[in-house]
Amino acid sequence: MTARIAELAAGYDQSGAFPADSLRIAHEAGLLTATIGESYGGRGARVEESARILHRIGQGDPSVALIAAMTLNTHARQAVQPHWPEELYARVVKESFERPVLVNHARVEPELGSPARGGLPSTLARRTPDGWSLSGTKRFVTGAEGLDWFLVWATTDEPEPRVGTFLVPGGSLGIEITGRWDQLGLRASGSHDVTFRDVEIPYEHVIGIGPYGASAEQDNRAGASLHLPLAALYLGVARAAQSFFHTFAHTRVPANLGHPVARTERFRRTAGEIEVLVSAAEQLVFGGAARVDSADSSYTPEQALGARVLADRHGVRAVELAVRLLGNPGLARGNPLERHFRDIQCAPVHAPQEDVSLLAIGTKALNP
């Protein structure tokens, strides 16, 4: 599966097209439905298995892995604490076993930025005789072109406003991609800007609705089930970069040397440093995920945040070392290492970003 997705990755990176074929491959392998709860007929994969799935898909194409991550996390949350309307979720599950069904949150806004830094949405949900009408613009909606469900974070227009997540079918009238994703890395993730113009949904298609206030803001400490798998995804990129580095080292035979550069001390030392960086990060991430799954009360949210901070740093550094040692070949478009270098730059971008994570970790450390 990883190899098949990897074969398609360069083309999708170049075109920026939605990676439908790669997602179909992941679906056929049963990976997009892995976290559906056992009570809904799924196998109920938890945090460690989710991390390992995304690690493997990330080795093939991190854009595909990121789109998959959002769907996997949605099912995982529902398995732990059901919150969708039961009839609607049952329909989503049934369709998910038949074909790739993609779900993602739409939370970031042009003025608000990331909710991880606080603040409430300007996207408005207006009451209608039959339900809700949503209007507003969201940014960085990963997989936007292929989403079956947008989970839109919005504020109600009621006399006492509430905040909730509104379940919007992807084919609804009034949904428009208004800003194209054109970034250095993860070019096939389709993380476009999406505008909702008077999009109508039924009244009951809302979850987590509550009072307008601080309690509605994002809890950066409570997301180990997503932080650790995301970290694993990018460590998959680092492993893919390492694999190319090894291949290059074994096949590159300079005329003045007479043997592969893999035999030189310089390459062996760098190979060792890359392995230490990546394997240590994997131990933190997979070990932490296993502790979350076992309900280890001594494993804190701050430890999960810290594991992701270090994993992101280690992954970026490992790929950087490989590129630096290879020189021009490492930055050549014809080599996958150049793409891995661009993709790994996206690791620290995901909320909560490093400064927010370190603030939470430091606050806990100073006030144990």
Side-chain angles (χ1 to χ4, degrees), residues 91-217:
R91 192 177 87 209
V92 170
V93 167
K94 181 178 183 297
E95 293 176 358
S96 296
F97 286 130
E98 297 169 352
R99 62 177 180 84
V101 173
L102 304 175
V103 186
N104 193 11
H105 286 265
R107 292 177 62 86
V108 181
E109 295 183 346
E111 293 80 19
L112 175 67
S114 171
R117 296 183 181 276
L120 293 162
S122 61
T123 299
L124 192 66
R126 180 174 52 83
R127 285 289 287 118
T128 68
D130 300 317
W132 301 98
S133 176
L134 267 71
S135 295
T137 296
K138 298 294 186 179
R139 303 205 69 194
F140 311 133
V141 185
T142 295
E145 289 170 305
L147 291 182
D148 293 270
W149 291 93
F150 293 86
L151 278 56
V152 183
W153 196 46
T155 303
T156 69
D157 70 341
E158 299 165 313
E160 294 186 9
R162 295 179 293 165
V163 175
T165 299
F166 296 79
L167 309 174
V168 181
S172 301
L173 293 176
I175 300 176
E176 181 184 356
I177 292 176
T178 50
R180 305 297 298 187
W181 173 254
D182 188 17
Q183 303 290 99
L184 180 72
L186 266 65
R187 294 185 54 78
S189 68
S191 302
H192 306 303
D193 294 359
V194 179
T195 296
F196 301 86
R197 294 190 174 94
D198 297 320
V199 178
E200 296 187 3
I201 62 170
Y203 179 74
E204 63 274 13
H205 283 201
V206 59
I207 56 179
I209 195 163
Y212 190 109
S215 62
E217 296 186 6

Side-chain angles (χ1 to χ4, degrees), residues 5 17 20 46 63 82 86 148 157 177-178 190 207 219 226 259 262 273 281 297 348 355:
I5 289 176
R46 300 180 69 189
S63 289
E86 280 296 325
D148 293 270
D157 70 341
I177 292 176
T178 50
I207 56 179
D219 184 351
L226 182 58
H259 57 74
E273 187 169 357
S297 60
D355 63 316

